[in-house]
Each structure stands twice: as C-alpha cells, then as structure tokens.
C-alpha cells in the first residue's frame, strides 16, 4: 500500500532539484552504502569492544580486591553509561544533521568515537592510578555514547535518502548489518589477539590492542567518508529553504510529529533494542560469566551464528518492500518475547557440566579464594544453532526498521526525529539488558535455597527484556501504521 508523507512539513514538490532519488545510479547508491557502512561498522566495533571485554576489564578498572560479581557489574555499569547519553547525542547531532547536513555530522561522530576508543587502550590500571581509571573510562564512554547517538541516524538517513522508493527496505538493510558486523569484528579481533599473545598476556596487557587498533581503522574510514556528497533530499531542502530552523521544537513540540516519535519508541524501538542486546550481547556475557565457557568457544559460537544469520537482515529488509514493515517487525518482536527464555535454557543445558580446574584455597592473608570452574565439554554446534535462532529474531525486527523510521518522518526533521526514539529504545531499554539481567541474577542467587528465584537465578534476569518486548508488541500492533515505499521526494 502506498503511504503519503505526513502533511504540514513544507511541501516542495514543484521546486527544481538536481536529481530524484529514484534516478540515482546503482553505482552511486553502492558507493554511499559502502562509505556509510564501513564507518558505522567501525563505530559499532568501538562501542562493543568494551562490553565484550567486561569480564577482563572489570578487575582492571575496579581492582582485584572486590568480588568478581562486583567488578563485572561495575564494568557493565560503565558500559551502560555510554548508552545513557546516546539520546542526548541523537538530539545534539540530529539537530546539526537537520540544519547543516548529514555528511559532515557523521564525519564528526566518527572521529569522536574512534578517538575515545583509542585513548581507552592507553589508560593505566586501577592499581596504578586508583579511582582515576574508572573516572576517565566513564568520561570516554560518555563521549562514545554521544557520538554513536549521532552516527546511526546520520548513516541511515543518508542511505535512505539516496535509495529508490520501492527498494528502500533492501538498501537500508545493509546499514542494519553494520551493528552485527561491528560485534563480529570486535569478537574476532579479541579472539585473534588472545591467540597471538596468549591468555595470561591478554589479561595483563593484550586487551589494549583491540582499542588501539581502532585508531587505524577510523583514519581509513574517515578518508572514505570525506569524499561523499550531501544526500539529494537534504540538498533539495536546503536549496529550497525548507530545512528546519529548530529541529528539536519541530520534532517534539509539534503534536503530529511528537505522536510519531512516541509510537516509534514504545511501539518499535524499545522492543527491538532489548531483543537485539539480549540475542547478541547478553547471551555472550551469559556464556562467559555464568556458564563459564572458554572465551574461544563462546566467541566461535557467537561469530558463526551471527554470520549465518546476517543475510537475513537483507532478506527481511527486501521482503518489507513487498509485504510491509509492520508484519515482519511485529512477528520478530513476539517471537523474541515467547522463545528467548526456552532458547536460553537450551543453551545452558548444552553448555555441559562445570569442572573444577583450580581448587579452592586460602591466600596469604587468610582469605578464602573460590575454586575456578570451567565448562570443558560444551556442545558447540547445538549452542550455535540455538543462538542462530535468537539472531533470526533480531534480523526480523532490525532488518526493516531503518526504512520504517525514515519513512515515518519528514526530511526537515528526519535525522532528529529518527535518532532520538531509536537511541532511547536501544540505548536505555536495550543497552541496559546485560546490567539489569545480571543484577537480577546476582540478587536471585543470594536468595534462600529452594526458592524459585534461587533455582532459576541464572536466567531470571530475562524477565526484563521479555516484558519490554511484550509491551512493545501490543503497543505496536495497536498504533504502528504500515508505511512503505513512501515517495520522499514528493514531500
């Protein structure tokens, strides 16, 4: 079904323009996708590398004296700090993108993200500089969150405004791959670095290498991006004087647009956020910290499952051009809500029994040191298949969502209106899945023996993402309109 864009936002269909997005050459579109995707993969890599190393960085940031649960929760809290500021980055950079342009805004976000990641690799440990270590890292994580808040909206809007109207879901789905691509890259780099330097050296100093590598990747990405031109839709709006003078006011004070922002948040993005981070991040933390898998095994499981599922981002994005965005997104949402817990229980069962590899001892100060446990016989193929199923739900929800959000909002405030609900949904609701789920698990584990919470402590934290996904499903089914193939140039 064709859907006309919301009225009242500067109709300029008769204004002269240099070209229409439906006449842009395929070669140009792929150049735009490549340049946008390369930079976005690097930014996701930068953001994920910290979370992937939470179990190792925790003791480095918070010292070795605390319990392992405290250092892990501390690292996850610092990781979450970057998510808190993502909506503010969306507002700040979204405003710049709607006023100045898409291209220059996401050049700036790339440099901020890469610089903060590089410096993280240089920070001395807690044992060396004390409380300054976590303070500096929190500041850098906040900078990364601000930058990422401006990155996704810029890249998505930029590609969508070049894409032909009837293939927007297909072309924007390649941007959706970048988040998974960044996670795959971060895990792969960690795995290779660990293999090269050895486990002991990796825990001591080798974990810094993936952070430092980011500097070189960002330079290469910046060189590719700086050659891009402004998108045809924004160029048209600027040439005809229809850009917004106050994108924040037009996005959130205007009642028509504000309602769309709320529908995007509570009916789409917050559910997508928890499904995404549960299936691609919490499960990785769960395997490493709860199931005690060797990081090599858990990394292989994650990378293979995500690589197998990655083509489905494009499949579902393209399918949404034909049958609509809503049907696919809502199906993925309800599947995530219903099947996440059973799949996690299956993953736990196939991890195998824990084996004591270092016995419990008493240190020189008379303090008890617990035994070190490992899952030495995991069923890797079975666990890979189960996590593949989790990632399929991500592809259904995430593949078409860029096209949906772009078509929901007018050009003059698209960058701002799209970015804010996306980053609240992903940054606040989704980004805190590892911290909230792990915290609930730690609380449940401390309950008396025989209680339901104690018996299911390792998985009780899943109640949070499941509840959010269910709420989003019902709101989306009621209020989400199935927009697709909108003629953006006719605004």
């Amino acid at each position: 079904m064709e859907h006309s864009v919301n009225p009242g936002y500067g109709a300029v269909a008769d204004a002269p323009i240099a070209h229409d997005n439906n006449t842009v050459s395929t070669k140009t579109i792929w150049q735009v996708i490549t340049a946008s995707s390369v930079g976005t993969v690097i930014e996701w890599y930068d953001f994920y590398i910290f979370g992937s190393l939470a179990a190792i960085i925790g003791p480095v940031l918070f010292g070795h004296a605390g319990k392992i649960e405290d250092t892990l929760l501390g690292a996850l809290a610092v990781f979450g700090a970057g998510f808190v500021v993502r909506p503010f980055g969306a507002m700040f950079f979204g405003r710049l993108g709607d006023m100045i342009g898409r291209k220059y805004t996401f050049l700036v976000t790339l440099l901020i993200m890469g610089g903060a990641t590089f410096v993280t690799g240089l920070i001395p440990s807690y044992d060396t500089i004390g409380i300054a270590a976590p303070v500096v890292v929190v500041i850098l994580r906040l900078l990364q969150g601000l930058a990422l808040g401006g990155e996704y909206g810029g890249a998505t809007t930029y590609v969508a405004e070049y894409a032909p109207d009837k293939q927007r879901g297909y072309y924007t789905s390649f941007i959706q791959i970048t988040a998974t691509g960044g996670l795959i890259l971060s895990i792969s780099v960690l795995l290779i670095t660990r293999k090269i330097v050895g486990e002991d050296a990796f825990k001591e100093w080798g974990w810094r290498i993936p952070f430092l590598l980011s500097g070189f990747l960002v330079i290469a990405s910046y060189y590719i991006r700086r050659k891009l031109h402004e998108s045809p839709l924004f160029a048209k709006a600027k040439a005809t004087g229809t850009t917004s003078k106050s994108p924040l006011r037009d996005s959130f004070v205007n009642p028509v647009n504000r309602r769309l922002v709320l529908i995007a948040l509570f009916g789409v993005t917050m559910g997508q956020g928890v499904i995404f981070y549960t299936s691609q991040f919490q499960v990785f933390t769960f395997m490493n910290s709860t199931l005690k898998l060797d990081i090599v095994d858990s990394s292989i499981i994650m990378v293979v499952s995500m690589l197998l599922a990655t083509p489905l981002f494009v499949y579902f994005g393209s399918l949404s051009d034909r049958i609509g965005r809503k049907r696919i997104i809502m199906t993925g949402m309800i599947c995530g809500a219903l099947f996440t817990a059973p799949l996690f229980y299956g993953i736990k069962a196939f991890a195998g029994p824990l084996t004591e590899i270092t016995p419990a001892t008493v240190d020189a100060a008379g303090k008890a040191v617990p035994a070190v446990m490992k899952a030495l016989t995991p069923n890797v193929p079975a666990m890979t298949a189960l996590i593949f199923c989790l990632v399929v739900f991500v592809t259904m929800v995430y593949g078409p969502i860029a096209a949906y959000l772009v078509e929901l909002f007018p050009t003059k405030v698209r960058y701002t209106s799209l970015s804010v609900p996306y980053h609240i949904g992903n940054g606040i609701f989704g980004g805190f899945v590892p911290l909230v789920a792990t915290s609930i698990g730690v609380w449940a584990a401390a309950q008396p023996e025989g209680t339901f919470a104690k018996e299911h402590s390792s998985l009780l934290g899943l109640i949070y993402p499941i509840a959010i996904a269910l709420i989003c499903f019902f709101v989306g089914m009621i209020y989400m309109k199935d927009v697709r193939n909108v003629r953006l140039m006719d605004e």
Side-chain angles (χ1 to χ4, degrees), residues 267-487:
V268 185
T269 62
M270 75 173 188
Q272 172 261 308
V274 296
I275 290 173
F276 184 95
Y277 284 98
T278 301
S279 303
Q280 298 199 135
F281 218 98
Q282 172 60 15
V283 72
F284 190 53
T285 301
F286 178 68
M287 286 192 291
N288 292 331
S289 301
T290 303
L291 303 183
K292 308 296 183 184
L293 263 67
D294 183 84
I295 194 170
V296 174
D297 289 333
S298 60
S299 297
I300 290 172
I301 290 169
M302 286 301 302
V303 170
V304 172
S305 62
M306 289 189 294
L307 284 174
L308 291 174
T310 292
L312 295 177
F313 284 103
V314 178
Y315 171 75
F316 287 119
S318 179
L319 184 63
S320 74
D321 286 327
R322 302 191 296 275
I323 69 171
R325 326 291 189 204
K326 177 177 179 177
R327 193 181 309 177
I328 300 171
I329 292 173
M330 290 296 107
T331 301
M333 198 85 70
I334 193 63
C335 285
L338 295 178
F339 300 117
T340 292
L343 288 170
F344 264 76
Y345 272 102
I347 293 165
K348 181 180 180 181
F350 283 118
L354 293 178
T355 302
E356 184 180 287
I357 61 173
T358 302
T361 59
V362 177
D363 63 19
K367 202 172 183 181
V369 178
V372 176
M373 310 295 288
K374 278 278 188 182
L376 299 180
T377 58
N379 187 330
V380 172
M383 296 178 74
T384 302
L386 294 178
I387 293 177
F388 168 80
C389 293
L390 287 172
V391 182
V392 169
F393 305 153
V394 175
T395 64
M396 296 179 72
V397 177
Y398 202 49
I401 204 170
Y404 169 76
L405 292 173
V406 164
E407 293 170 338
L408 194 62
F409 301 108
T411 299
K412 65 184 291 186
V413 292
R414 179 170 294 125
Y415 200 147
T416 304
S417 297
L418 178 159
S419 296
V420 171
Y422 176 84
H423 286 292
I424 292 176
N426 281 264
I428 304 300
F429 290 98
F432 276 91
V433 165
L435 178 61
V436 173
T438 304
S439 298
I440 294 173
V442 170
W443 168 82
Q447 300 308 301
E449 293 291 341
T451 61
F452 178 86
K454 181 74 172 183
E455 292 178 358
H456 298 272
S457 60
S458 63
L459 290 164
L460 196 63
L462 293 177
I463 193 171
Y464 167 70
I466 290 172
I468 295 296
L470 281 174
I471 292 170
C472 199
F473 171 76
F474 288 116
V475 172
M477 288 299 294
I478 295 171
Y479 294 105
M480 180 181 176
K481 301 299 182 184
D482 201 358
V483 295
R484 71 179 185 272
N485 305 334
V486 175
R487 292 186 55 81

Side-chain angles (χ1 to χ4, degrees), residues 12-19 235-237 239-240:
V12 288
D14 297 329
I17 58 174
H19 57 269
K236 170 189 173 182
T240 55

Side-chain angles (χ1 to χ4, degrees), residues 78-426:
V78 174
F79 179 64
F83 289 98
V84 173
V85 298
R86 278 171 59 176
F88 298 100
M91 287 187 282
F92 178 76
F93 289 110
R95 178 177 178 273
L96 291 181
D98 282 326
M99 294 180 68
I100 299 173
R102 284 62 162 123
K103 172 189 170 180
Y104 295 104
T105 303
F106 72 359
L107 278 176
V108 173
T109 62
L110 176 67
L111 294 177
I112 293 174
M113 174 68 80
T117 305
F118 182 80
V119 174
T120 300
L122 301 175
I123 298 173
S125 68
Y126 183 94
D127 292 341
T128 303
I129 62 173
I131 194 66
V135 169
V136 172
V137 173
V138 168
I139 293 172
L140 293 173
R141 290 296 297 169
L142 295 178
L143 287 174
Q144 286 183 316
L146 288 171
L148 190 57
E151 167 63 23
Y152 176 82
T156 300
T157 301
Y158 192 75
V159 172
E161 291 180 347
Y162 265 100
D165 294 323
K166 293 187 180 297
Q167 292 180 286
R168 192 169 294 114
Y170 169 70
Y171 284 116
T172 56
S173 66
F174 288 94
I175 288 292
Q176 305 306 86
I177 292 174
T178 59
T180 297
L183 182 53
I184 291 173
L185 181 61
S186 69
I187 293 174
S188 301
V189 169
L190 293 178
L191 188 60
I192 293 169
T193 305
R194 184 190 179 101
K195 280 289 189 182
I196 292 174
V197 305
E199 185 170 350
D200 292 338
F202 184 79
K203 290 181 178 179
E204 184 179 351
W205 57 268
W207 62 268
R208 298 178 182 275
I209 294 175
F211 288 97
L212 299 176
L213 178 63
S214 172
F216 300 99
L217 298 175
V218 167
I219 292 172
S221 180
Y222 178 81
Y223 178 77
I224 295 173
R225 276 193 175 184
R226 65 189 293 268
K227 296 183 177 181
L228 296 174
H229 298 288
E230 191 52 80
S231 84
L233 267 73
F234 185 81
K236 170 189 173 182
K238 201 163 187 178
T240 55
T242 56
T243 55
S244 175
K245 294 182 174 59
S246 180
L248 293 176
R249 183 190 63 209
D250 291 341
S251 293
F252 309 119
V253 177
N254 181 296
V256 175
N257 205 77
R258 185 176 63 233
R259 180 177 183 274
L260 296 176
V261 169
L262 293 174
I263 292 173
L265 172 58
F266 294 107
V268 185
T269 62
M270 75 173 188
Q272 172 261 308
V274 296
I275 290 173
F276 184 95
Y277 284 98
T278 301
S279 303
Q280 298 199 135
F281 218 98
Q282 172 60 15
V283 72
F284 190 53
T285 301
F286 178 68
M287 286 192 291
N288 292 331
S289 301
T290 303
L291 303 183
K292 308 296 183 184
L293 263 67
D294 183 84
I295 194 170
V296 174
D297 289 333
S298 60
S299 297
I300 290 172
I301 290 169
M302 286 301 302
V303 170
V304 172
S305 62
M306 289 189 294
L307 284 174
L308 291 174
T310 292
L312 295 177
F313 284 103
V314 178
Y315 171 75
F316 287 119
S318 179
L319 184 63
S320 74
D321 286 327
R322 302 191 296 275
I323 69 171
R325 326 291 189 204
K326 177 177 179 177
R327 193 181 309 177
I328 300 171
I329 292 173
M330 290 296 107
T331 301
M333 198 85 70
I334 193 63
C335 285
L338 295 178
F339 300 117
T340 292
L343 288 170
F344 264 76
Y345 272 102
I347 293 165
K348 181 180 180 181
F350 283 118
L354 293 178
T355 302
E356 184 180 287
I357 61 173
T358 302
T361 59
V362 177
D363 63 19
K367 202 172 183 181
V369 178
V372 176
M373 310 295 288
K374 278 278 188 182
L376 299 180
T377 58
N379 187 330
V380 172
M383 296 178 74
T384 302
L386 294 178
I387 293 177
F388 168 80
C389 293
L390 287 172
V391 182
V392 169
F393 305 153
V394 175
T395 64
M396 296 179 72
V397 177
Y398 202 49
I401 204 170
Y404 169 76
L405 292 173
V406 164
E407 293 170 338
L408 194 62
F409 301 108
T411 299
K412 65 184 291 186
V413 292
R414 179 170 294 125
Y415 200 147
T416 304
S417 297
L418 178 159
S419 296
V420 171
Y422 176 84
H423 286 292
I424 292 176
N426 281 264

